[in-house]
Amino acid sequence: MLCRRAIPRLVQQQHSLFRTQVRHLNLLEYHSHKLLKDFDIPVPKGYVVGSPEEAREVVSKINAPSVVKAQILAGGRGKGKYESDGQGGVRIMNSPIEAFENASRMIGYYLTTKQTPPGGLLVNKLYIYKAVDVAQEYYVALTFDRDRSMPVLLISNVGGVDIESNADKLEHYWFDMTHGITSEITAYVQAQLGFSDAEMGVISHILHQMLKLFKEKDATLLELNPLVRTPEGHFVCLDAKFTFDNSARFRQPEIFSLEERLPDEEEEYEASQAGLSYVRLDGNIGNIVNGAGLAMATNDLVSLFGGKCANFLDVGGGATKESVSKAFEILNRDSRLKGILVNIYGGIVRCDMIAESIIDAAASTGGFKVPVVVRLQGTNSDKGLEMIEKSGLRNLIVEPDFELAAEKIVAVTEKSA
């Protein structure tokens, strides 16, 4: 699936720390197939199962060779490896017994692909449909070209897993939403990909229905890979990957009710629900700051002293006692942390309120498990620092100087590592 693989340069974005906080809804494959069907885009009749027994019943009902696909939010499933038997997450089953045996080694086990965390992702569901004979695979997608500030159609007659190494063969057709995919564009598509007039009639219908779905559902990417032509000349979408803009959540309650998240996205989602900005990083020093600029400066200064931050966590300029407590709650669950740096510059936010929140967070968790360095400056900072110093809390270090605070958290983290 190209959006999680070799994205073409024209739509590839260099994500800064801020951009990674922008969340997009991702759907599992079977949800995407249902949506395609609703918009009259051809897909095979599929079944979702959650047990080996259900897999056996479905393949018995299909009574033909069937495709069994692990449902996770990652591409490359066919070339992935299960912890149970070392096989991939996309398999052909020729009998109900074979379906039962394979499903027994797929459901409840971790599948690792190039796009999953090193330990893989747990598979709880399988998607099964009758195997389709394939004469030709195509890749078709709609997305936005941010550089040109307009949507673009991407299409290639080299689809499936081969798209990863053939991204340079994608044809690009830019258009505007007012005029949509015009007859001129479809003529270019037919000429470039060699569709017959009859085939182009079907392809044109699919493209226009994709655009309708794209607009009506506030999508940021619709990807059909592969869209296949059968030996009989029929077109069927065998796999799909969609993303939807998070800002459209209030307009698309039905779609967003289907949301499933990767394990490392749970903290990000929980933080966003509490009004916090959270991005997971690779280090072992947790940060709680107020303001994106201060967060970046904190990460940079910690790195300068040889440390590595585990997160970007911005409680915002209007932080409350509840949001600060939630920030500590999220960090306290992170087993990677060897220390936490609280760096607050009080403006609208009062530092004495932050201090009170820190003390309450420690009380609610039975004390801090790792060293916590607190730097407060600005509104009521003297009062806040005094409150913390008199609290008698263990593992709590007060340092009003920014540079020294960063240096101290790196030092105590190295000692506890």
Side-chain angles (χ1 to χ4, degrees), residues 89-104:
V90 179
R91 309 182 187 186
I92 301 292
M93 302 294 105
N94 294 301
S95 69
I97 294 299
E98 191 178 357
F100 177 85
E101 292 174 348
N102 277 268
S104 298

Side-chain angles (χ1 to χ4, degrees), residues 31-41 43 209 212-213 217 254:
H31 288 314
S32 298
H33 273 215
K34 171 63 167 57
L35 195 54
L36 289 172
K37 185 178 179 181
D38 290 344
F39 278 78
D40 196 30
I41 297 172
V43 294
Q209 291 304 110
K212 183 179 180 182
L213 194 166
K217 300 301 182 181
E254 291 185 5

Side-chain angles (χ1 to χ4, degrees), residues 287-309:
N287 289 327
I288 298 177
V289 301
N290 66 321
L294 185 59
M296 293 297 292
T298 302
N299 276 267
D300 288 344
L301 201 52
V302 166
S303 297
L304 180 65
F305 287 112
K308 200 171 182 182
C309 293

